[in-house]
Amino acid sequence: MSRQTPSRVELLQGTLDLLILRTLLAGPAHGHAIAKHIQRTSEDLLQVETGSLYPALHRLEAKGWLLPSWDLSEKGKRARFYRLTPLGRKHLAAERSKWEAFSRALGLILNSIDEVMP
């Protein structure tokens, strides 16, 4: 991820994979479009750097969760587009469920009334 500024947060390890898979749920996209979607959707709080994005895309491809193909981008340039595979959709569903449970647990702890520790 990018250097941290007051308006950005660092991602937990493995979260980038989930964000990429979720982004591709809408349909095939090339790397730059994936990064921009994550940035825009997070209201500029998350910025995925090239040095993090492309290794993650290759890792997800190697696991069989993404299928790449060459096509023309919206600017007419040749680009590698990534598509979610059925196995990738299954993994996304499982990881999303885990993330939602973790997020709920964290919220419960962070929003709890402080108790005196014994």
Side-chain angles (χ1 to χ4, degrees):
M1 293 299 100
S2 175
R3 60 203 164 278
Q4 191 167 354
T5 66
S7 63
R8 292 195 186 133
V9 294
E10 294 294 319
L11 294 181
L12 296 173
Q13 187 175 8
T15 306
L16 179 57
D17 293 357
L18 180 62
L19 295 175
I20 292 170
L21 294 174
R22 175 58 185 94
T23 297
L24 293 174
L25 193 57
H30 56 79
H32 182 72
I34 293 168
K36 286 298 177 189
H37 179 268
I38 291 170
Q39 183 177 349
R40 188 175 50 254
T41 306
S42 71
E43 298 178 351
D44 294 322
L45 291 171
L46 302 175
Q47 183 174 350
V48 182
E49 299 294 331
T50 303
S52 298
L53 178 65
Y54 288 97
L57 288 169
H58 295 298
R59 184 175 60 253
L60 296 177
E61 178 185 347
K63 290 181 178 185
W65 299 340
L66 299 182
L67 183 64
S69 62
W70 289 98
D71 205 346
L72 293 179
S73 71
E74 52 280 350
K75 294 183 178 181
K77 293 184 178 183
R78 193 165 182 256
R80 193 167 187 182
F81 281 71
Y82 296 88
R83 173 179 290 113
L84 201 55
T85 65
L87 190 58
R89 287 179 189 276
K90 184 176 180 178
H91 181 74
L92 172 61
E95 289 304 307
R96 186 174 182 172
S97 177
K98 288 179 193 175
W99 179 258
E100 287 170 352
F102 174 75
S103 179
R104 181 175 181 275
L106 209 58
L108 290 170
I109 292 168
L110 293 174
N111 295 317
S112 68
I113 297 172
D114 290 334
E115 300 175 11
V116 176
M117 298 296 293

